[in-house]
Amino acid sequence: MTVSGGLVLPDPDRRAPGRGAHLHPALECFDLAVRRKAFPRAFRVPGPLDVTGLREYVAQRDK
C-alpha cells in the first residue's frame, strides 16, 4: 500500500512511487492498524489518513 494526497491506497504490484507499507490482508489486522493509528506512523506523515479505499480492498481479499 502507499499514500497519495491523504489517501491510503492498495498497491498490489508494489510499483507506486514513494514510501510503501505492508499490511496482512485480513480485516482484523486492518482494524487493529486503524485503532493503533499505524498508517500515519508507517508512512511518516502527520494527521489522519483516509483508509476507506484500502478497507474495501482488504474486505474483498479477506473472503
Side-chain angles (χ1 to χ4, degrees):
M1 77 186 115
T2 188
V3 68
S4 176
L7 299 172
V8 179
L9 305 169
D11 183 22
D13 296 330
R14 298 180 183 131
R15 301 221 185 268
R19 184 171 179 85
H22 175 78
L23 175 70
H24 188 258
L27 282 175
E28 180 179 317
C29 296
F30 173 84
D31 291 337
L32 182 61
V34 169
R35 279 195 315 266
R36 291 183 175 179
K37 300 178 183 172
F39 294 113
R41 281 195 319 267
F43 293 115
R44 297 182 182 166
V45 296
L49 296 171
D50 183 357
V51 295
T52 307
L54 181 62
R55 187 181 202 301
E56 293 170 5
Y57 176 79
V58 171
Q60 289 177 351
R61 299 229 21 221
D62 191 30
K63 291 182 180 182

